[in-house]
Amino acid sequence: MPIVLIVAEQQPDGHLRKATLNAISAGRTLAEKAGAELHLALLSKDPSKLAEELKVQGVKAVHTAAAPELEHYLAEVYAPVIAGLVQELKADYVGMASTAMGKDLMPRVAARLKAAMATDVMAFNGSGADISFTRPMWAGNVFAEVKLTTPVKVFSARATEFPASTGGQPAGEVKAFTPKLEASKTKFVDFKEVKSARPELTEARVVVSGGRGTKGDFKEIEALADELGAAVGASRAVCDAGWVPNDLQVGQTGKVVAPQLYIAAGISGAIQHLAGMKSSKTIVAINKDPEAPIFQVADYGLVADLFKVLPELREALHKLKE
Amino acid sequence: MKILVTAKRVEDPESKIKVKPDGSGIVQEGLKYKINPFDEIGVEEGLRLAAKHGGEVVVVSIGGKEVQEQLRHALAMGAHRAVWVNHTGTLDQLALAGLLQKVAEKEKPDMVILGKQSIDDDQNQVGQYLAEFLGWSQATFASKVESLESEQEKNKVPALQVGADGKTVRVVREVDNGLATLECALPAVVTTDLRLNLPRYASLPGIMKAKSKPIEELTPEKLGVDVTPKIQVLKMSSPPPRKAGIKVPDVATLVDKLRNEAKAV
C-alpha cells in the first residue's frame, strides 16, 4: 500500500503548531484519493508528549525521533532525518503545512530525495497513482493543476484550505526510529518571539487589519480586535514603514489567512494583499476612497473615515453582547 | 568576498495576470517584465556586502535571450559581471537548482543570495534545493531587526553579518511568531525576504557602464545538466470570483448585515 508521510511541527515553545492538524487533514485527503496509508513524523528532543496529541483520526502510525540535536529546528539537521525515514518506509508522498518551517524544510528534503515538489497545495485531484495537485501561482491570480513525475512526491499544504483534524478514532501507534543525524554547518543562535495576547493570525476566527489609512495609528484597530477577540493584521506598506511588526503582514509574501470574518480598515487592496485574504468567509472593507480595489472583494463596503467609524463599530458590537 | 546573485525574469508584479481560455498558460500580450523583486533585494544585499568587505558580485540568470535585460539591470545596479544560462522552454525548480549548482561550482562564491521565491511560480524552493545539492549551509527568509526607515538602511549597511574571520555569516530570519537567528559556515545559500533592504535605483552612469560589462554565455548542455521537467503543469485556471458585495451606508447597517445576513458576529 502506498504511504503518505506528514511531518509534524513543534513550536519553539514546545507546543504543537496548530497548522500541523490542517496538514494531517490534507494528508488524509490525499491518502483517501491515492489509496494510501497516512503516517506522521515527529522530530524532537523529547517527542513523547506531542506524539500522543498526534494520534488523530485516520493516522496509521506516528514515527518519532528523539535526539538533543533535534531541539532547535535546522533544515540541515532535519532534512536527512526525514529523507531517511521516507526511504525506510518507502513512502510515496511526503508533506507538511506551508509554515515558515515547512517552506524551509520540505524543498531540502525533496532535493535529497531528487524529488519534485508542489508548494502551498490547496487541493488534490485524481485517484490511485494518477494524482495531481492544485496550487496558486502569480500571487493567487492563477490556480495551476500540476503533476509531479518523480518517484517520491513532496508538497507543502496551505493550512487554511484544509480543516483541522480532530480526535476521532485513535488507531495509530507510536513507533520510535533512530534518526540519521549529520553534522550541521549551521548553528542556531536564538529565537526572539513576538509575544501577543491576541490569537495567532493564521488561526484566528476574526482578523482586523489596518493599512496605510491608519497612518501608523493602530489603537482603533487593536481596540476593535480586542472587542471581537480577533487577531490584528496589516498591509505590507504598514510593515515596511516599521509601524507594526513584520509578522502581522497579510498577503502573498506575508501570511495567508482565511478567517470567518476579515475587516480591512484603511487598506486599498493591492493584488499582493488580496492574495493573502480573499479566501476569508466574510470580508468587510472600510476605506475613504470609494474606488479602492478592496471593495471589489468585500461583501460589505463602508466608504468612511476609519477613525470615525471604528469606534462606532466597536460600541455597536459591544452593545450586541449586552 | 565573491557573491553570486540571481536575476530571474518575471512578469511585472503590478500587471494583471489573465489565464488563456484553454488553460494552457497566461496571456502574454501586453505584459511587462522585470527582475524578480526578491532577487533584486538579493542583488542589493550582494552589492552592500561587496562594498563593505571588498570583492565581486556575479549575477546569473537562466532563460532565453530576453533575460539579458534582467542581467543588464543588475549590472546597472553595480554587479561586476554576469553569467547567462541560455535555455528556452520550461524549467522546473529541480532543473533551475541543478543549473545554479553547476554555476556555483564553477564560480566558487562565498555566498549565493537568491530571492525566497519568484513571483510567477511562487514555489519558494530553489535556494533550499541548491543548498542541499551543494551540501552548503542554508538560511532562508533573510530579514533584519531594523526597519526599512532606519539609519542602517539609509546608510546601506548590509543586514547579513559576516564574521570577523570571514568564515561565517549571521542571518536574521523571518519565521512564524518572531525572528530566528542562524550562524552559517561559508560558503552558504541565503534567500531574501521583503524587509532585508530597499534595492537602489540604477544610476545613469551605472546604466552606461553596464553596457560594457561582460556577460558569459553557458547552456545546460555545457553545464551537463538534464533539464527535463519533473513538474508538469496540466492546466491553469482563474480563481473562482467572489460574489459581488454591497456598499452599506453606515455602521448600524453594517452591524445588522454582519449579524443577520452573514452571521459573522
Side-chain angles (χ1 to χ4, degrees):
Chain A
M1 203 177 202
I3 287 177
V4 176
L5 180 68
I6 296 291
V7 180
E9 178 174 351
Q10 186 173 24
Q11 297 181 155
D13 66 6
H15 291 104
L16 185 72
R17 190 169 298 285
K18 284 188 185 149
T20 299
L21 297 173
N22 305 83
I24 295 171
S25 274
R28 191 166 49 239
T29 308
L30 170 59
E32 281 163 10
K33 289 187 187 274
E37 281 176 2
L38 177 60
H39 292 231
L40 306 184
L42 172 64
L43 279 53
S44 173
K45 190 176 146 197
D46 174 19
S48 56
K49 193 177 138 268
L50 287 195
E52 290 304 311
E53 281 183 49
L54 290 171
K55 285 163 80 177
V56 296
Q57 194 194 340
V59 174
K60 178 87 179 167
V62 182
H63 303 272
T64 60
E69 293 89 338
L70 298 171
E71 179 177 8
H72 300 294
Y73 159 72
L74 285 172
E76 272 162 273
V77 178
Y78 274 46
V81 178
I82 304 289
L85 179 64
V86 169
Q87 285 166 332
E88 198 182 310
L89 294 173
K90 297 191 171 58
D92 305 82
Y93 297 91
V94 51
M96 196 174 162
S98 281
T99 56
M101 173 176 157
K103 287 185 170 175
D104 184 55
L105 174 61
M106 282 294 114
R108 192 147 187 156
V109 171
R112 214 171 165 92
L113 297 165
K114 301 274 182 287
M117 173 174 171
T119 299
D120 276 332
V121 169
M122 306 163 73
F124 304 94
N125 320 292
S127 62
D130 187 26
I131 296 286
S132 66
F133 304 78
T134 301
R135 58 172 306 271
M137 293 170 78
W138 286 281
N141 285 300
V142 175
F143 288 174
E145 194 183 325
V146 301
K147 200 156 188 183
L148 309 180
T149 62
T150 48
V152 179
K153 296 152 181 62
V154 182
F155 66 93
S156 66
R158 182 171 274 191
T160 50
E161 300 292 327
F162 301 93
S165 293
T166 48
Q169 188 71 29
E173 51 173 333
V174 177
K175 288 183 179 173
F177 72 102
T178 311
K180 194 176 155 191
L181 291 168
E182 289 182 11
S184 172
K185 293 172 182 163
T186 308
K187 271 196 306 206
F188 172 85
V189 178
D190 64 19
F191 171 69
K192 290 203 178 69
E193 194 182 353
V194 179
K195 283 217 189 308
S196 169
R198 300 191 184 95
E200 226 276 300
L201 247 184
T202 52
E203 293 164 3
R205 207 188 65 83
V206 182
V207 174
V208 184
S209 282
R212 212 188 282 272
T214 63
K215 300 185 180 70
D217 179 358
F218 260 55
K219 273 197 234 55
E220 286 303 332
I221 302 281
E222 287 169 356
L224 179 61
D226 291 340
E227 178 62 41
L228 287 161
V232 169
S235 69
R236 179 180 163 185
V238 165
C239 296
D240 281 356
W243 290 340
V244 297
N246 293 339
D247 70 329
L248 296 190
Q249 189 197 328
V250 173
Q252 176 198 14
T253 52
K255 300 234 164 88
V256 176
V257 302
Q260 293 293 308
L261 175 61
Y262 188 90
I263 302 177
I267 293 180
S268 64
I271 291 174
Q272 114 77 37
H273 185 77
L274 301 184
M277 47 64 81
K278 66 184 174 192
S279 309
S280 306
K281 186 146 182 290
T282 301
I283 298 173
V284 172
I286 298 168
N287 202 301
K288 273 201 283 198
D289 175 9
E291 302 301 323
I294 189 82
F295 288 122
Q296 288 164 24
V297 301
D299 299 285
Y300 305 112
L302 181 56
V303 180
D305 179 359
L306 68 98
F307 291 104
K308 185 176 163 287
V309 295
L310 286 186
E312 279 178 43
L313 181 57
R314 175 162 45 88
E315 276 162 38
L317 290 169
H318 190 75
K319 271 192 196 132
L320 282 182
K321 283 195 207 157
E322 283 166 1
Chain B
M1 115 177 282
K2 187 172 181 178
I3 297 148
L4 186 66
V5 296
T6 51
K8 189 178 182 186
R9 179 181 172 89
V10 297
E11 290 74 19
D12 185 327
E14 300 301 320
S15 50
K16 185 104 183 99
I17 303 293
K18 275 193 242 121
V19 178
K20 283 185 194 165
D22 67 358
S24 64
I26 59 163
V27 179
Q28 305 280 340
E29 285 81 39
L31 286 180
K32 286 201 186 92
Y33 294 85
K34 279 194 151 174
I35 178 174
N36 176 37
F38 290 101
D39 283 346
E40 195 175 28
I41 292 169
V43 175
E44 175 66 34
E45 195 63 22
L47 293 173
R48 291 183 187 189
L49 286 166
K52 183 172 174 185
H53 304 284
E56 188 187 32
V57 177
V58 181
V59 58
V60 54
S61 191
I62 304 171
K65 205 172 184 330
E66 61 283 1
V67 305
Q68 291 190 25
E69 276 175 44
Q70 280 62 49
L71 290 173
R72 293 283 174 212
H73 176 88
L75 292 171
M77 284 173 73
H80 299 85
R81 58 188 177 84
V83 174
W84 166 37
V85 182
N86 184 357
H87 179 81
T88 41
T90 316
L91 289 169
D92 63 18
Q93 285 67 35
L94 270 163
L96 291 166
L99 292 168
L100 290 175
Q101 178 197 355
K102 295 297 170 187
V103 173
E105 284 170 357
K106 196 166 160 293
E107 292 286 341
K108 300 187 174 50
D110 299 286
M111 217 186 291
V112 183
I113 311 179
L114 318 81
K116 71 166 180 179
Q117 68 195 73
S118 60
I119 58 148
D120 46 4
D121 288 333
D122 284 335
Q123 281 270 57
N124 197 329
Q125 296 176 3
V126 174
Q128 296 90 312
Y129 270 96
L130 177 62
E132 174 63 29
F133 286 169
L134 290 166
W136 290 4
S137 184
Q138 103 182 24
T140 53
F141 322 144
S143 188
K144 65 178 163 196
V145 179
E146 302 83 21
S147 88
L148 290 177
E149 307 207 328
S150 63
E151 280 305 305
Q152 286 93 331
E153 178 57 34
K154 284 188 189 109
N155 297 325
K156 302 205 182 303
V157 177
L160 303 179
Q161 292 168 33
V162 177
D165 59 0
K167 288 183 177 158
T168 58
V169 62
R170 243 173 212 243
V171 186
V172 175
R173 305 178 55 232
E174 215 168 280
V175 297
D176 295 324
N177 304 84
L179 293 171
T181 305
L182 297 182
E183 190 173 280
C184 304
L186 294 175
V189 174
V190 175
T191 78
T192 62
D193 216 316
L194 275 181
R195 278 165 290 273
L196 186 64
N197 61 47
L198 286 172
R200 69 195 63 189
Y201 291 104
S203 65
L204 196 56
I207 294 167
M208 296 311 288
K209 256 197 243 169
K211 290 186 178 157
S212 57
K213 287 181 181 172
I215 296 183
E216 180 190 0
E217 184 183 340
L218 295 168
T219 59
E221 295 71 36
K222 268 191 216 163
L223 293 167
V225 180
D226 173 16
V227 295
T228 314
K230 307 288 194 298
I231 301 178
Q232 294 170 356
V233 177
L234 304 176
K235 199 180 81 187
M236 290 189 192
S237 57
S238 300
R242 283 188 78 91
K243 89 177 162 36
I246 55 160
K247 294 252 170 75
V248 291
D250 50 40
V251 167
T253 318
L254 176 61
V255 172
D256 176 63
K257 294 277 184 196
L258 284 177
R259 184 163 184 87
N260 301 315
E261 200 173 84
K263 307 207 185 309
V265 293

